[in-house]
Amino acid sequence: MYNIAIVKYGEIGVKGKNRYIFENKLIKNVKNMLAPIGKFNVYKEYGRIYVDLGEYAEDYEEVLEEIKKVFGVVGVCPGIRAEKDYDKLKQLALQLLEEKIEEGSESFKVTSRRGDKSLELTSQEMSKDIAGFLVYNVKDRIKVDVRNPETTIHCEYRQNHVMVYSDTVPGYGGLPVGTNGRAMSLLSGGIDSPVASWMVAKRGVEIEAIHFHSYPFTSEKSQEKVRDLAQILAKYCGKVRLHKVNILEIQKAIGVSCKEEEMTIISRRFMMKIAQRVGEMRFCDALVTGESIGQVASQTIQGLTCTNASVSLPVFRPLIAMDKSEIIKIAQKIGTFETSVIPEEDCCTVFSPKSPVTKPKLDRIEKSESSLDIEKLIQDAIDNMEVEVFEF
Ligand code: ATP
Ligand code: MG
C-alpha cells in the first residue's frame, strides 16, 4: 500500500538561511542510514524530505525504523502518493481508512492541505468533502471525531501529486550530525560514555572517540568491547574514529611517585590531557565524558573540579544530573547496553585504590603530579597511539 516515507524535521526548519545546509546534511545522513538496506531515492520538495520506498514497499516498517534513528528527524510517516487527481486522492483516503478500520480504529478525522491553488476547494472544504465521501463509503464502521480522533487521515493536493498518510513513527529529534562542530569523546567500555557520546552527537556534533587501556593488564577482549561500541555509535554518527592509547606506563609512574588514594584522579587528569591533545590534533572543539555527579568517588564535585582543571577545552557532560536508571534506559534504546554490560576489566579498575580520595584538593593533586615528567609521559603515550575508523 505505502510507497513513500515522509520525513518530518523540527528545529532545522528555523535556521534561516542555513536551512538548506541542514536539509542537505539530513538527506545525506538518511541515505547513509539506509545504505545497508539498499539504495533509496531521498529528496527535498517544498520544505519536506521524502524517501521513495520503491522495491522496499513491503518492508516499509524496517525502513522507517532506520530513518527514525537519524538525528534531526522528528517523525517519519508512511504515505501513499499518486499522480495529481482529486478523485484519486479520495480513493487513497478511503483505502487508508479501510486499513485503519481493519486495525481496530474507532474514530477518525480528515485534515487537508492544498499546495496547488488551482483546486477550487479551500483546504477546509477539501476536508469536509473527503470526510463526506469516506463516511458515505464506510457507513457506521467508524465514527467521525474531530476533537480527539484515534486516526487522522492527512490528505494533500500538491502541484505534482496527491498524497495521503496517517501514522507517525516518532524520531529522536536533535540536529543532523555534522552541523555543529566536532568533539572528542572519552569512551570507556562502560554504560555511561556511549550514552554521553550519543547525546552530544544528537545535537549535530561529529564524534571522535578516545579509549585508554593498560594492555597487557587489561585484555584484548576489553578493547574488542570498545570497538563494538564504536561500531554501534557509528550507526548514529556516520563515522567514528577511535583512538586507542595505552596508559600503562603513566599508571606505573603515578603508582611509584604519588599517593595510592590519588591514583584514580591523577590518571583521570592524564586521560583528559591526552584527550585534549589528540582532540586538538583532530580539530575537535570540545571533550565529552560520561560523568555524573556523585556516581563514583572520582565524580564528586571536588573530583570533577580537579578533572576539569586539567584541560582548557570545554568538557561536555550530558549525563551530569542523570540517575543510572535513566542512563540505562537510553543505553537500551540506542542498543549499547548489552555490549556495555559484558564484564571486562577497565584500566581504572585494574589500578584502582582501595580507598580513593573523595574530596581531592586541586593544589595537592597538582603538587603530587609535579614529581612526574608529565610532558614526556603524555607524548610517549600519544606516539604509541593506535587509530581505527568505524564506518557505518
Ligand atoms: P562508564 O560507564 O562510561 O565507564 P563510569 O561510571 O564507569 O563510566 P568512570 O569510570 O568514573 O565512570 O569514568 C567516568 C568517565 O571517564 C567515563 O564516562 C568516560 O568518559 C571516561 N573514562 C573512564 N575510563 C575511561 C577509559 N578507559 N577510556 C576512555 N575514557 C574513560
Ligand atoms: Mg568506566
Side-chain angles (χ1 to χ4, degrees):
M1 178 167 72
Y2 298 114
N3 59 11
I4 199 161
I6 306 157
V7 181
K8 296 189 166 171
Y9 45 91
E11 273 186 79
I12 67 174
V14 299
K15 293 278 178 180
K17 62 178 189 288
N18 284 337
R19 179 177 167 147
Y20 79 99
I21 300 175
F22 285 81
E23 287 173 333
N24 291 346
K25 200 81 200 173
L26 192 61
I27 290 175
K28 192 166 158 260
N29 295 351
V30 169
K31 276 187 186 162
N32 267 346
M33 188 65 90
L34 290 174
I37 300 182
K39 217 169 153 49
F40 287 83
N41 191 19
V42 184
Y43 52 98
K44 188 165 61 174
E45 215 174 82
Y46 310 120
R48 282 239 195 102
I49 287 169
Y50 295 104
V51 180
D52 286 336
L53 294 174
E55 58 185 298
Y56 301 95
E58 293 291 314
D59 312 311
Y60 78 93
E61 278 169 328
E62 186 196 345
V63 175
L64 264 51
E65 265 316 292
E66 294 306 300
I67 298 174
K68 82 163 204 206
K69 290 181 193 152
V70 177
F71 294 137
V73 173
V74 172
V76 50
C77 316
I80 319 172
R81 179 161 157 160
E83 69 281 7
K84 188 167 99 175
D85 177 343
Y86 186 63
D87 287 326
K88 178 79 189 175
L89 177 60
K90 286 165 126 177
Q91 287 301 335
L92 292 179
L94 180 59
Q95 188 187 348
L96 190 53
L97 187 62
E98 288 289 2
E99 178 85 10
K100 292 293 143 194
I101 294 172
E102 197 146 304
E103 285 171 14
S105 181
E106 293 185 341
S107 61
F108 83 101
K109 77 166 180 182
V110 173
T111 67
S112 302
R113 270 202 200 193
R114 185 184 58 149
D116 177 358
K117 307 289 179 211
S118 69
L119 186 74
E120 277 141 38
L121 305 173
T122 65
S123 48
Q124 269 185 6
E125 289 166 343
M126 247 178 91
S127 294
K128 257 196 194 151
D129 181 51
I130 297 172
F133 171 79
L134 294 177
V135 171
Y136 176 81
N137 278 280
V138 301
K139 303 283 186 293
D140 52 6
R141 286 186 288 136
I142 186 167
K143 66 176 197 295
V144 175
D145 179 351
V146 288
R147 288 257 163 76
N148 195 17
E150 259 178 62
T151 295
T152 301
I153 304 285
H154 300 274
C155 299
E156 303 194 351
Y157 188 85
R158 299 257 176 196
Q159 217 94 47
N160 302 314
H161 60 261
V162 293
M163 191 162 59
V164 294
Y165 65 95
S166 177
D167 299 333
T168 301
V169 179
Y172 295 134
L175 297 165
V177 169
T179 56
N180 258 330
R182 191 188 277 183
M184 180 61 75
S185 183
L186 285 83
L187 190 65
S188 69
I191 296 169
D192 304 332
S193 46
V195 172
S197 312
W198 181 86
M199 286 176 76
V200 172
K202 179 166 174 272
R203 295 304 304 164
V205 179
E206 241 179 81
I207 293 293
E208 298 219 351
I210 187 161
H211 175 69
F212 300 97
H213 61 89
S214 326
Y215 186 79
F217 281 78
T218 54
S219 65
E220 293 265 11
K221 272 264 164 54
S222 71
Q223 285 184 54
E224 189 78 15
K225 187 176 157 186
V226 176
R227 298 169 70 241
D228 289 346
L229 289 169
Q231 184 65 63
I232 298 170
L233 287 173
K235 191 173 179 71
Y236 300 96
C237 306
K239 179 161 127 186
V240 173
R241 203 179 145 92
L242 174 66
H243 306 78
K244 292 177 290 182
V245 181
N246 192 329
I247 54 165
L248 182 57
E249 291 309 316
I250 295 177
Q251 288 176 308
K252 281 187 190 160
I254 300 171
V256 169
S257 312
C258 307
K259 294 198 194 89
E260 194 209 349
E261 68 264 28
E262 293 174 347
M263 180 71 181
T264 311
I265 201 81
I266 295 178
S267 327
R268 188 55 48 79
R269 281 166 57 84
F270 268 95
M271 286 186 189
M272 296 294 277
K273 284 183 190 150
I274 295 171
Q276 169 162 288
R277 190 76 63 89
V278 177
E280 281 169 349
M281 278 156 47
R282 294 289 311 154
F283 304 103
C284 293
D285 314 300
L287 302 178
V288 180
T289 76
E291 290 160 313
S292 157
I293 304 173
Q295 204 189 69
V296 287
S298 58
Q299 296 176 33
T300 58
I301 295 183
Q302 294 81 358
L304 291 167
T305 305
C306 289
T307 317
N308 221 34
S310 59
V311 289
S312 57
L313 276 180
V315 183
F316 296 155
R317 300 180 171 90
L319 313 184
I320 197 73
M322 286 170 76
D323 292 351
K324 198 75 183 185
S325 60
E326 297 173 279
I327 301 168
I328 287 175
K329 260 194 213 133
I330 303 178
Q332 286 168 331
K333 180 174 83 174
I334 65 174
T336 53
F337 184 74
E338 282 183 3
T339 306
S340 289
V341 291
I342 297 169
E344 284 299 338
E345 74 284 4
D346 183 67
C347 62
C348 299
T349 43
V350 174
F351 291 92
S352 79
K354 278 185 241 33
S355 46
V357 278
T358 52
K359 291 188 176 172
K361 289 222 160 55
L362 183 57
D363 52 352
R364 281 221 205 117
I365 295 292
E366 282 173 342
K367 188 149 178 278
S368 298
E369 285 173 354
S370 63
S371 59
L372 300 167
D373 189 348
I374 297 176
E375 190 49 41
K376 180 168 179 348
L377 287 166
I378 289 179
Q379 199 50 54
D380 287 351
I382 292 178
D383 288 344
N384 291 308
M385 173 172 86
E386 290 174 289
V387 180
E388 228 177 311
V389 178
F390 295 88
E391 283 188 71
F392 177 59

